[in-house]
Amino acid sequence: KAGVTQTPRYLIKTRGQQVTLSCSPISGHRSVSWYQQTPGQGLQFLFEYFSETQRNKGNFPGRFSGRQFSNSRSEMNVSTLELGDSALYLCASSWGTGGDTQYFGPGTRLTVL
Amino acid sequence: KQEVTQIPAALSVPEGENLVLNCSFTDSAIYNLQWFRQDPGKGLTSLLLIQSSQREQTSGRLNASLDKSSGRSTLYIAASQPGDSATYLCAVCDDKIIFGKGTRLHILP
């Protein structure tokens, strides 16, 4: 069974631009969560989607948004990029919600110049 | 607000030793607690998940315990090997998943 895939793996953008990251969950998984990982803040929860609905949201500004499609694939968008958005963005999928084991993708490394 | 703390932040031990990593959390109303491993520049690998009703879980050389009342969990690694070198993260689930900042483990050959 294929694992969680994330594209692209690496991305370089400049301040003010916007970016879209993609996550394909494990087949059959309906929940997708997104996390931002930085050396200073560690891993922080961005949002969780289940059956195309945002179920939970972390404490991030509205520039961070996401969506989930009917095939459970998810995208995350960051508008008006800032230098501080440079991070590893991780996606995780699980069968359901409520604390099912999460399976993580390799991440997208975003660098904002 | 749930907070998860991992101590120590970094640890170096000689190969073959048994070791314990610690995790504490402030709100005991959790669904479960997970331990993950992260290799440099990579995603996370789930090691063990302990449901709130359980006290411990074991997988091979790994044993994780959970004491909800005291807000603590430990990850015990037996007979450590150089391949165990990685960052170990603890995460609690109470609707959202909150991670600790991890313990960077280095096993000395």
Side-chain angles (χ1 to χ4, degrees), chain A residues 12-50:
Chain A
I12 299 175
K13 292 285 187 179
T14 56
R15 277 180 299 174
Q17 287 187 307
Q18 76 164 21
V19 66
T20 299
L21 312 181
S22 180
C23 171
S24 293
I26 291 172
S27 177
H29 284 190
R30 294 168 63 192
S31 175
V32 173
S33 298
W34 288 90
Y35 299 86
Q36 181 196 67
Q37 187 175 33
T38 58
Q41 298 298 318
L43 260 164
Q44 293 185 285
F45 171 77
L46 278 156
F47 24 66
E48 178 189 9
Y49 286 88
F50 180 78

Side-chain angles (χ1 to χ4, degrees), chain A residues 13-18 79-85 111-113:
Chain A
K13 292 285 187 179
T14 56
R15 277 180 299 174
Q17 287 187 307
Q18 76 164 21
S79 62
T80 320
L81 283 166
E82 301 177 0
L83 295 178
D85 297 333
T111 301
V112 181
L113 302 176

Side-chain angles (χ1 to χ4, degrees), chain B residues 22-96:
Chain B
N22 296 294
C23 171
S24 62
F25 48 95
T26 54
D27 188 342
S28 62
I30 62 172
Y31 295 145
N32 60 47
L33 182 145
Q34 279 188 259
W35 283 92
F36 293 88
R37 168 190 172 132
Q38 185 175 31
D39 292 285
K42 303 281 180 65
L44 277 65
T45 301
S46 178
L47 298 172
L48 291 164
L49 182 149
I50 312 176
Q51 299 291 352
S52 62
S53 58
Q54 298 175 316
R55 297 298 295 268
E56 66 178 332
Q57 280 285 345
T58 298
S59 175
R61 294 183 294 108
L62 305 179
N63 176 278
S65 69
L66 174 64
D67 184 342
K68 266 180 45 174
S69 61
S70 67
R72 298 199 324 203
S73 175
T74 60
L75 179 66
Y76 174 83
I77 302 177
S80 58
Q81 303 170 357
D84 294 331
S85 297
T87 296
Y88 290 80
L89 293 140
C90 154
V92 299
C93 178
D94 61 2
D95 200 32
K96 296 178 186 177

Side-chain angles (χ1 to χ4, degrees), chain A residues 30-32 48-56 67-69 97:
Chain A
R30 294 168 63 192
S31 175
V32 173
E48 178 189 9
Y49 286 88
F50 180 78
S51 294
E52 302 178 66
T53 301
Q54 187 180 87
R55 188 178 167 274
N56 243 320
R67 58 178 176 167
Q68 187 180 32
F69 302 96
T97 60

